[in-house]
């Protein structure tokens, strides 16, 4: 890979161990390296954002899975920990922005890695849009004045869907602004926001569990589930956990801005996912135990916002919901930042349209400004689908999960092949001289299970269930939205690669004739 970065170099010491580590891969240090361990942890945790995603998808999980959907949570957590362990190894060996793209390219080949990065960055843009939509689940519950369009705040209603899009666009304007300011400003916002989220999530879990109306045995019941049978309830109910526990790779995505990334990123990838998984599981369990009723229909429509305000009272409930708003804003910011770094990394290698512009780093702020604008505008455009139909809310959310799961499999797959061929080494040391993070003899079984889990979940999430994606009927394109969107993404990628090959060949013809 070659770099097409501008000549401006950031004003940090050019001979630090971190800079020399990046130089080994043929890149110069241009992003400002200012993130410590907690900031790295915050990058992964804020992408996962327990409060954002649990509040956004709890109602969906309960509606289709009933109380038993809780058990999908530990199953997904174990599966994602397997994937995260593989990513931790790669983060130690390849501390480069554009993690999924860089890892897949170096484990397989440039073409396969390019498609992994292409699918990942499109998926990240969709995740940005989906995260911004989460405001609708919280703001109207705090104050009815946040319902700017119509009167029905339910995200599945026409009014709620349109209002969600409007609130989302406003949030995206703010996060885009932060993403062009300075990475130190972004880091401070991330750290403060994640601290507030962790405190709020722990407090919510404790309060819900101490206000229980029933025993934990309720989690073995499937009553009220829209999906028949235990397997169906768990398969669709797992969407909630699957949507929550993605993005832990963001700690690796920020490697070029992190001090001692070979040592820091592997640990923060695992701790971010572990902390989010534990807190999220406790909140889901607490919500089921503290809900005033499991049969009045509120839990399947209003979700955890209803549980907080009805069980804890308006004052405490709304104060906690305000903390959720902070979490949603920080999550949207973190996801947009991760997508920006992926665009920057691919553009730096000349692998995207307008590569020179997208790879340009502002030497004063250390931020690639053009990617922030691209991600913000495209995510806002996706939000417009919500004006067309309320079903777009679920279609957008599920599509982004599938694309990230598939991109993850395009890393764990080549990594497993390398292990089986004996071409993946555990040798090397980090910036402190300690051995690199390694799974050792557990590498092959952990990697194989991680790949199998990822592929099974990709199929489960993308399966075109009419009852899930088009419950009202008449919108076949929403039922098949994930499959269609993924197909369009791959076709667009193939077309772009073919165009690049043709232009490259055409450029060499005059040179050959001149010789």
């Amino acid at each position: 890979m070659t770099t097409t970065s501008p000549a401006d170099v950031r004003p940090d010491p050019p001979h630090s161990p971190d800079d020399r580590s990046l130089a080994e891969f043929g890149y110069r240090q241009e992003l400002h390296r200012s993130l410590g361990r907690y900031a790295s942890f915050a990058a992964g945790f804020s992408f996962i954002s327990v409060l954002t995603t649990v509040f956004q998808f709890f109602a969906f999980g309960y509606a289709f899975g009933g109380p038993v959907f809780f058990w999908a949570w530990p199953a997904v957590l174990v599966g994602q920990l397997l994937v995260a362990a593989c990513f931790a190894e790669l983060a130690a060996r390849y501390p480069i922005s554009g993690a999924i793209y860089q890892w897949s390219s170096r484990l397989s080949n440039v073409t396969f890695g390019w498609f992994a990065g292409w699918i990942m960055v499109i998926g990240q843009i969709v995740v940005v849009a989906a995260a911004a939509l989460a405001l609708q689940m919280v703001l109207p519950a705090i104050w009815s004045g946040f319902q700017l369009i119509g009167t029905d705040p339910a995200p599945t209603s026409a009014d709620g869907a349109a209002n969600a899009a409007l609130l989302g666009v406003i949030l995206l304007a703010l996060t885009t602004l932060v993403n062009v300011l300075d990475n130190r400003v972004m880091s401070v916002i991330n750290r403060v926001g994640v601290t507030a989220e962790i405190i709020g999530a722990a407090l919510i879990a404790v309060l819900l569990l101490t206000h229980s109306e029933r025993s934990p045995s309720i989690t073995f019941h499937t009553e009220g589930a829209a999906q028949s049978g235990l397997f169906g309830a768990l398969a669709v109910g797992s969407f909630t956990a699957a949507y929550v526990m993605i993005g832990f790779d963001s700690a690796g995505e920020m490697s070029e801005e992190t001090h001692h990334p070979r040592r820091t990123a592997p640990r923060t990838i695992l701790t971010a996912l572990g902390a989010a998984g534990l807190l999220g599981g406790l909140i889901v369990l607490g919500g089921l135990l503290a809900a005033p009723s499991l049969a009045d229909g509120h839990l399947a429509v209003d979700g955890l916002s209803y549980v907080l305000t009805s069980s804890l009272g308006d004052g405490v409930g709304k104060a906690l919901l305000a903390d959720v708003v902070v979490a949603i804003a920080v999550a949207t910011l973190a996801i947009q930042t991760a997508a920006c770094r992926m665009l920057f990394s691919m553009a730096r290698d000349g692998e995207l349209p307008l590569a020179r512009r997208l790879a340009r780093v502002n030497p004063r702020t250390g931020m690639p400004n053009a990617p922030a604008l691209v991600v913000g505008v495209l995510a806002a455009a996706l939000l417009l689908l919500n004006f067309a139909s309320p079903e777009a809310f679920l279609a957008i959310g599920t599509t982004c999960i599938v694309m990230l799961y598939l991109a993850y499999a395009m890393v764990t797959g080549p990594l497993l092949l390398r292990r089986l061929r004996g071409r993946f080494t555990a040798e090397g040391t980090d910036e402190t001289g300690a051995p690199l993070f390694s799974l050792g003899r557990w590498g092959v079984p952990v990697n194989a299970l991680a790949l199998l889990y990822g592929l099974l979940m990709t199929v489960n999430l993308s399966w075109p269930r009419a009852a899930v994606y088009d419950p009202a009927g008449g919108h076949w394109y929403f039922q098949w939205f994930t499959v269609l969107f993924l197909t369009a993404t791959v076709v667009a990628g193939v077309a772009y690669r073919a165009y690049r090959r043709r232009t490259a060949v055409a450029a060499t013809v005059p040179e050959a004739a001149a010789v």
Side-chain angles (χ1 to χ4, degrees):
M1 296 183 188
T2 59
T3 71
T4 57
S5 305
D8 297 307
V9 182
R10 68 148 184 76
D12 284 0
H15 302 298
S16 71
D18 296 341
D19 292 359
R20 289 198 298 272
S21 177
L22 184 59
E24 293 175 11
F25 301 101
Y27 300 117
R28 288 178 301 155
Q29 186 70 50
E30 295 180 277
L31 303 174
H32 290 188
R33 197 178 289 278
S34 61
L35 307 183
R37 183 168 182 175
Y38 188 69
S40 176
F41 166 82
F45 190 90
S46 55
F47 192 124
I48 299 170
S49 189
V50 171
L51 293 185
T52 299
T53 44
V54 170
F55 273 79
Q56 188 173 13
F57 272 83
F58 181 94
F60 172 84
Y62 182 80
F64 283 94
V68 78
F69 97 98
F70 165 78
W71 293 106
W73 191 277
V76 170
L77 176 58
V78 170
Q80 289 296 66
L81 281 172
L82 297 172
V83 177
C86 295
F87 284 6
E89 284 189 307
L90 295 173
R93 288 154 183 78
Y94 308 112
I96 317 172
S97 291
I100 298 298
Y101 156 68
Q102 294 283 356
W103 298 344
S104 184
S105 296
R106 295 169 192 278
L107 292 169
S108 54
N109 56 62
V110 173
T111 300
F112 189 83
W114 185 90
F115 275 100
W118 176 248
I119 291 171
M120 182 69 181
V121 75
I122 300 298
Q124 286 173 324
I125 292 171
V126 182
V127 179
V128 175
L133 287 173
L135 283 178
Q136 183 61 26
M137 297 296 297
V138 183
L139 282 180
I142 296 176
W143 179 48
S144 60
F146 286 118
Q147 185 65 35
L148 305 174
I149 299 177
T151 57
D152 189 348
T156 52
S157 68
D159 288 351
N163 197 66
L166 178 59
L167 293 175
V169 169
I170 294 171
L171 176 58
L172 285 174
L174 295 174
T175 58
T176 301
L177 176 62
V178 174
N179 260 307
V180 300
L181 287 176
D182 189 294
N183 75 337
R184 288 169 297 185
V185 174
M186 177 202 68
S187 176
V188 169
I189 293 174
N190 247 349
R191 294 198 306 271
V192 172
V194 164
T195 302
E197 179 171 7
I198 292 173
I199 294 172
L203 187 58
I204 288 172
V206 169
L207 289 175
L208 289 177
L209 290 172
T210 54
H211 285 74
S212 296
E213 298 284 342
R214 55 194 62 82
S215 72
S217 63
I218 192 67
T219 58
F220 293 98
H221 298 182
T222 58
E223 287 84 352
Q227 292 290 297
S228 59
L230 178 62
F231 178 78
L234 287 174
V236 180
S238 67
F239 285 25
T240 300
Y243 183 66
V244 173
M245 287 180 270
I246 55 174
F248 44 85
D249 54 293
S250 291
E253 196 74 65
M254 303 298 288
S255 287
E256 291 184 32
E257 294 155 87
T258 303
H259 294 299
H260 307 314
R262 292 182 186 272
R263 180 173 181 80
T264 300
R267 289 161 176 76
T268 51
I269 285 173
L270 292 169
T271 53
L273 177 59
L278 176 62
L279 283 174
L282 291 175
I283 290 173
V284 170
L285 177 62
L288 291 171
L289 300 186
S293 172
L294 299 180
D296 62 4
H298 280 294
L299 203 57
V301 176
D302 303 317
L304 283 176
S305 298
Y306 151 74
V307 179
L308 283 186
T309 54
S310 58
S311 298
L312 306 180
D314 271 356
V316 175
K318 290 182 178 180
L320 293 172
L321 288 180
D323 189 60
V324 177
V325 173
V326 173
I328 293 171
V330 172
T332 305
L333 172 64
I335 300 166
Q336 186 174 7
T337 302
C340 291
R341 298 306 179 268
M342 179 69 75
L343 279 177
F344 163 75
S345 184
M346 296 181 73
R348 180 173 56 181
D349 289 340
E351 296 289 348
L352 290 175
L354 303 174
R356 287 185 179 275
R357 183 60 180 260
L358 290 171
R360 189 175 301 156
V361 176
N362 185 317
R364 182 182 61 82
T365 66
M367 303 287 270
N369 294 345
L373 296 173
V374 169
V375 175
V377 169
L378 292 179
L382 276 172
L383 292 182
L384 298 180
L385 287 173
N386 247 36
F387 284 101
S389 174
E391 279 78 14
F393 174 83
L394 180 59
I396 292 173
T398 309
T399 298
C400 68
I401 315 172
V402 170
M403 297 189 75
L404 265 63
Y405 265 79
L406 182 58
Y408 287 176
M410 294 176 76
V411 172
T412 55
L415 177 58
L416 180 60
L417 289 177
R418 283 234 169 184
R419 292 187 198 275
L420 295 175
R421 293 170 180 170
R423 295 170 56 195
F424 186 76
T425 177
E427 299 176 358
T429 58
D430 60 28
E431 296 86 357
T432 66
L436 294 177
F437 177 90
S438 175
L439 292 173
R441 60 192 179 90
W442 291 99
V444 170
V446 168
N447 199 159
L449 289 173
L451 176 60
L452 178 62
Y453 160 78
L455 293 175
L456 289 175
M457 281 299 292
T458 299
V459 173
N460 176 41
L461 293 164
S462 59
W463 197 265
R465 302 172 175 90
V468 175
Y469 298 114
D470 186 24
H475 299 92
W476 64 270
Y477 43 88
F478 279 124
Q479 180 181 344
W480 292 87
F481 185 86
T482 298
V483 176
L484 293 172
F485 193 92
L486 181 58
T487 301
T489 299
V490 173
V491 169
V494 170
Y496 173 69
R497 299 288 292 184
Y499 168 76
R500 281 201 60 193
R501 283 195 297 270
R502 287 197 302 270
T503 54
V505 170
T508 60
V509 171
E511 296 177 10
V515 173

